Amino acid sequence: MSPSVHCPSLSTTFVGIQHSLSGPACQIHQYRGIKYASIPGRFRRSQLHTSYTRTTDAKAHGPIAPQIKRFRPDESSFGLVREEPSPLIQDEFECLNLTITSPGLEVANGPLPVMIWIHGGDNLQDTGSSLLYDAGKLVRASIELSQPIIVVAINYRLGLLGFAASEDLEMENRRLGEQGVGNYALYDQLNAITWVRKHIVSFGGDPSNVTLFGQAAGAVNIHSLLMSRVNHHKPIAARAIIQSGVVSTACVPTVSSQTSTLARVMSSLNIRSVEELRRVPVDLLISHTAASMSATDDGIFFRDGWRECPVPEGVDGLIIGDCAFESALWTNSVSLWSSVGLVRRIRAVIRGVYKADALLRAYNISLTGEDEDSQDAALNFINDACFAWPADKVARGTQGHVYRYTFDQESPYTYTAHHAVDLLYLFDNAPAHIPARKAHPFDSSESDLGDSDSDGFDSDYFGSSDFAYNATRVCRAMQERWIAFAHGEHPWSPEKLYVFGPEGEIGERHLEDELSVRRRLCEWRQTLEMLPPELVHKLAIELSNGPRVSPRSHV
């Protein structure tokens, strides 16, 4: 029999499904495709949805945001083919829906903590409805730990539909009675959180005990939400978990700079007015979206003084951390650099000889260095500039209980702790048996394996019971601590660093000492902090994009 929940506040009964992991001793229910907001028009703020029929069918996932199907790193990193059993429909105006995964009501003992998942994907792609993020195993783990939780995964607008901004759009929105411009996706997320806090009690949840968690762009969005004017006036969550992504002030454009960006898009579409832009077919519009999208500093969304103090506020606790090799995302483009090209580009961007040379020395990049060594060093710099150092700054600047971690456990597919590998362990939805092979992250080339390889990896280890044991150990440790945190407990001592991996290592370690070993703490505090953040960001973008000319030409 399908589970159902009557929601008096909405005068409807939601009819969901028994999750495939449900059993007699562990009931797990899932309510899919619940519409939480409506979109009055393109480039408009969404509005909370309040009108439902007497019975609401919540058995199937709803439409997702229109997006370009691009190659996703996790397809090779996790050994996944990201096709759902039933392809998800894309719909510009019906994509604001959420999925609730909860224990059976008989499991609950009082209102349960609620975790709201905000997915990543550069704000260009992906969906909370993905099989990768299915919360069944996470909820099951919470039941087995006698700390049941409810997990809500949301969908929101992406690309230009979620973030387009310009002075003309701002003027047009003002005419329609809306302040500000851009940030439509962030307002979608605020509406999702509001919907959950208003109605989750019917599903057995505690509206006053909400934890936001997200990865990559989802983590950046959470950071943005916690610096919003809305959150400043009334906190939107009790706690937050930020995985592999924080807001960099250098990455948040003003309306003026967004105007130039959107003007180029409109020129490529051969249109001149906002009215024409609103009428462009959605497939054509998203095909002109930039490589990534971000919030706009429109003077309305963010609280006053956020640039001077860009840290989350209003939460009782914050978990924050990163993966060891986030910059694997740019392996292919960085591999085109020569040592000479890297040195010249770094000096050209930084300009100051002493500061440029200090950075070159810190990361061991020289004119005479081997190209491969210099490329690895460039990836280290990109990793620090885009992930590790920004996370360190946010962690040090945030008031209250801050819990830091490093995720260094290897993927069984690439043997590295690449960007997003932590999701494989947190949600535990990767295939049970992945063929072990040594592959450079995000490189589809095959390579033969012997007993060991030149990188020092024991190839037998990754196909062995030892690796399976260590992977399970890390998976359980991560789930236990995320669940305990949602229950308001200390996941570990805030004075310590919690480590996940490599090779199954878990536990609390001395914060500064362990960070110095696992990350390049001295490098970024002694060199990057001497540079303006916008310059560090610019250099990271330059290097990650690869050389503009042949790296061998030395011109």
Side-chain angles (χ1 to χ4, degrees):
M1 183 176 178
S2 298
S4 63
V5 165
H6 181 64
C7 184
S9 57
L10 293 171
S11 301
T12 190
T13 297
F14 293 101
V15 180
I17 63 168
Q18 289 277 2
H19 195 279
S20 60
L21 294 175
S22 280
C26 185
Q27 291 289 309
I28 302 173
H29 300 165
Q30 197 165 68
Y31 302 88
R32 299 173 167 179
I34 297 176
K35 184 174 182 177
Y36 67 81
S38 56
I39 302 171
R42 183 178 290 178
F43 310 134
R44 299 279 307 279
R45 285 194 202 176
S46 58
Q47 300 170 354
L48 209 61
H49 188 63
T50 57
S51 178
Y52 297 80
T53 57
R54 181 175 297 179
T55 301
T56 301
D57 188 338
K59 297 177 183 177
H61 289 300
I64 64 173
Q67 54 194 272
I68 301 172
K69 181 174 175 54
R70 298 183 179 182
F71 169 77
R72 287 190 53 84
D74 50 318
E75 291 183 5
S76 65
S77 308
F78 298 165
L80 296 176
V81 176
R82 293 175 59 86
E83 293 293 343
E84 312 299 325
S86 299
L88 298 172
I89 298 170
Q90 298 185 12
D91 191 306
E92 178 180 356
F93 298 105
E94 295 296 331
C95 61
L96 303 187
N97 53 75
L98 51 81
T99 296
I100 300 172
T101 307
S102 64
L105 293 179
E106 65 276 4
V107 175
N109 183 19
L112 303 180
V114 181
M115 300 186 74
I116 300 179
W117 170 251
I118 301 180
H119 70 79
D122 288 325
N123 286 321
L124 293 176
Q125 57 185 339
D126 216 346
T127 166
S129 308
S130 168
L131 287 173
L132 181 62
Y133 311 133
D134 183 275
K137 289 187 178 178
L138 188 59
V139 170
R140 184 178 67 179
S142 75
I143 297 170
E144 293 171 347
L145 291 166
S146 299
Q147 289 187 304
I149 59 170
I150 294 172
V151 179
V152 181
I154 69 172
N155 287 319
Y156 55 92
R157 282 176 285 181
L158 302 170
L160 288 169
L161 299 174
F163 294 94
S166 73
E167 291 166 349
D168 286 345
L169 259 178
E170 183 178 33
M171 189 181 307
E172 178 68 12
N173 286 350
R174 190 182 303 120
R175 186 184 68 80
L176 295 169
E178 297 177 4
Q179 287 187 309
V181 67
N183 306 321
Y184 313 111
L186 296 177
Y187 285 110
D188 294 344
Q189 293 162 32
L190 285 173
N191 272 330
I193 295 166
T194 300
W195 191 98
V196 168
R197 297 188 67 169
K198 280 178 174 287
H199 309 300
I200 201 64
V201 67
S202 297
F203 296 83
D206 183 351
S208 66
N209 191 3
V210 171
T211 298
L212 306 178
F213 71 130
Q215 183 266 350
V220 174
N221 292 341
I222 289 172
H223 189 183
S224 296
L225 297 177
L226 296 178
M227 295 192 297
S228 68
R229 198 176 298 272
V230 170
N231 182 69
H232 180 70
H233 290 307
K234 185 178 181 180
I236 59 175
R239 287 167 290 279
I241 302 174
I242 291 178
Q243 301 173 220
S244 302
V246 299
V247 174
S248 170
T249 56
C251 299
V252 181
T254 62
V255 176
S256 176
S257 59
Q258 288 283 61
T259 298
S260 300
T261 300
L262 193 60
R264 290 192 290 272
V265 172
M266 293 173 67
S267 176
S268 66
L269 291 167
N270 196 29
I271 58 176
R272 296 185 178 182
S273 69
V274 169
E275 290 182 3
E276 290 178 290
L277 188 63
R278 292 190 195 274
R279 294 196 300 266
V280 172
V282 66
D283 290 344
L284 181 60
L285 184 66
I286 63 173
S287 70
H288 285 73
T289 299
S292 64
M293 302 297 292
S294 67
T296 298
D297 186 4
D298 64 350
I300 300 296
F301 181 82
F302 290 103
R303 58 170 163 77
D304 294 338
W306 76 274
R307 283 191 183 271
E308 292 71 36
C309 186
V311 295
E313 66 175 17
V315 289
D316 297 330
L318 175 71
I319 290 178
I320 184 169
D322 57 28
C323 297
F325 193 23
E326 307 273 11
S327 58
L329 289 165
W330 296 284
T331 297
N332 291 337
S333 56
V334 171
S335 68
L336 301 176
W337 284 106
S338 67
S339 295
V340 172
L342 280 169
V343 171
R344 290 184 173 179
R345 184 59 56 84
I346 290 169
R347 286 177 172 168
V349 172
I350 295 181
R351 295 186 180 180
V353 174
Y354 294 113
K355 291 180 179 179
D357 285 352
L359 187 146
L360 290 168
R361 286 193 301 271
Y363 287 90
N364 198 25
I365 301 173
S366 69
L367 291 168
T368 58
E370 294 291 332
D371 287 352
E372 186 173 346
D373 292 340
S374 296
Q375 292 158 10
D376 288 343
L379 287 170
N380 288 341
F381 166 76
I382 295 167
N383 202 88
D384 293 348
C386 296
F387 295 96
W389 177 48
D392 180 58
K393 290 196 296 179
V394 170
R396 285 186 286 149
T398 301
Q399 300 296 314
H401 294 112
V402 179
Y403 307 92
R404 302 183 65 175
Y405 74 89
T406 55
F407 197 95
D408 299 349
Q409 180 65 17
E410 312 89 345
S411 162
Y413 203 69
T414 63
Y415 304 178
T416 59
H418 54 72
H419 185 68
V421 72
D422 49 337
L423 303 183
L424 183 151
Y425 293 88
L426 177 59
F427 291 101
D428 194 19
N429 289 324
H433 300 288
I434 300 177
R437 70 175 179 90
K438 179 68 179 75
H440 212 293
F442 316 128
D443 185 332
S444 60
S445 62
E446 299 286 343
S447 62
D448 295 330
L449 285 171
D451 291 336
S452 62
D453 61 38
S454 58
D455 292 325
F457 288 105
D458 179 358
S459 62
D460 289 339
Y461 164 69
F462 289 91
S464 71
S465 59
D466 285 344
F467 179 77
Y469 169 80
N470 289 339
T472 300
R473 178 177 160 90
V474 170
C475 173
R476 287 178 178 172
M478 191 174 197
Q479 291 180 339
E480 287 173 5
R481 276 144 191 84
W482 266 227
I483 290 165
F485 184 65
H487 274 267
E489 299 177 7
H490 295 290
W492 57 86
S493 170
E495 286 78 34
K496 300 288 187 178
L497 176 77
Y498 201 93
V499 301
F500 299 98
E503 298 188 11
E505 180 185 356
I506 56 173
E508 298 182 17
R509 304 289 184 268
H510 186 279
L511 179 59
E512 293 286 320
D513 289 350
E514 198 70 19
L515 268 181
S516 296
V517 172
R518 291 172 177 263
R519 301 294 185 265
R520 288 162 292 277
L521 189 67
C522 294
E523 283 84 345
W524 73 60
R525 288 189 181 173
Q526 292 176 6
T527 58
L528 302 191
E529 292 192 355
M530 300 300 107
L531 299 169
E534 58 273 14
L535 194 61
V536 175
H537 171 70
K538 179 181 178 181
L539 180 59
I541 295 300
E542 291 264 346
L543 299 190
S544 64
N545 285 339
R548 297 172 186 168
V549 296
S550 170
R552 307 289 176 183
S553 66
H554 296 176
V555 174

